[in-house]
Amino acid sequence: MIVIDAASPTPPYEQLRAQLARQIQDRSLAVGTRLPTIRRFAADLGLAVNTVGRAYRELEEAGLIETRGRAGSFVSTAGEHALEQARRAARDYAAVIASVGIDPTEAIRIVEAALGHVSIP
């Protein structure tokens, strides 16, 4: 279930994108699942069509969904590949962190900063 919080400082397209990405990553949306059309999803959520369209475009750019023309948008098998790449990168990063003796909490802050969520003090 997707919930858009109108009072949130996070833009609605980002709330939608993040929730769909999370559902794809935790497999509550399985590979091959057909997503609602942009117009239908916009109407169901009370959002502008362009807002839903932007979320879908960003998910497609990330390889989590694919659009098959008039057939619609589907959860992509490429999303599984992207997740496996991320897992491999995380394992490699953890090995580097351990080998140089960086505290795990600091390692997480470094990743968060790299993702643009926080700045390193």
Side-chain angles (χ1 to χ4, degrees), residues 93 105-120:
Y93 178 68
T105 302
E106 180 62 21
I108 290 169
R109 287 201 322 233
I110 292 168
V111 170
E112 288 172 337
L115 292 170
H117 295 293
V118 296
S119 59
I120 295 177

Side-chain angles (χ1 to χ4, degrees), residues 56-109:
Y56 275 31
R57 279 191 304 279
E58 290 192 10
L59 290 165
E60 191 163 22
E61 288 170 9
L64 296 175
I65 68 171
E66 59 186 43
T67 300
R68 301 177 191 160
R70 297 185 64 81
S73 297
F74 298 82
V75 175
S76 172
T77 57
E80 284 295 314
H81 178 67
L83 285 174
E84 186 50 39
Q85 279 185 300
R87 288 184 192 106
R88 269 195 309 274
R91 283 192 298 271
D92 293 346
Y93 178 68
V96 169
I97 292 305
S99 73
V100 297
I102 293 177
D103 178 71
T105 302
E106 180 62 21
I108 290 169
R109 287 201 322 233

Side-chain angles (χ1 to χ4, degrees), residues 3-44:
V3 177
I4 303 300
D5 179 2
S8 173
T10 304
Y13 83 88
E14 177 56 24
Q15 292 180 52
L16 176 58
R17 187 211 59 78
Q19 289 179 58
L20 286 172
R22 197 171 312 112
Q23 289 180 11
I24 291 167
Q25 292 165 350
D26 71 14
R27 294 178 178 80
S28 48
L29 279 176
V31 169
T33 300
R34 184 171 192 245
L35 300 175
T37 65
I38 291 172
R39 288 185 192 280
R40 175 162 181 163
F41 221 0
D44 289 350

